[in-house]
Amino acid sequence: MAYKITDTCVACGTCQGECPVGAISEGDIYSIDPDTCISCGTCASVCPTGAIEEA
């Protein structure tokens, strides 16, 4: 199951640099492309605000 970024995202960019498949894109808050996400959990483990969870 893919991950998603919640409204508690502060757009720090930490997750984007850690995603091994480039599934995270920048915006007002970051977003994860569910078709590209491989559900590895790396983004969730590095998020300083806990804004990433399983979809």
Side-chain angles (χ1 to χ4, degrees):
M1 179 170 274
Y3 281 76
K4 67 177 181 177
I5 300 176
T6 66
D7 291 341
T8 57
C9 174
V10 295
C12 69
T14 302
C15 59
Q16 187 178 35
E18 296 296 322
C19 181
V21 294
I24 301 173
S25 58
E26 189 174 356
D28 291 337
I29 65 170
Y30 283 66
S31 62
I32 299 173
D33 178 355
D35 294 328
T36 305
C37 178
I38 59 171
S39 300
C40 67
T42 301
C43 57
S45 70
V46 299
C47 179
T49 62
I52 303 174
E53 58 188 35
E54 284 188 272

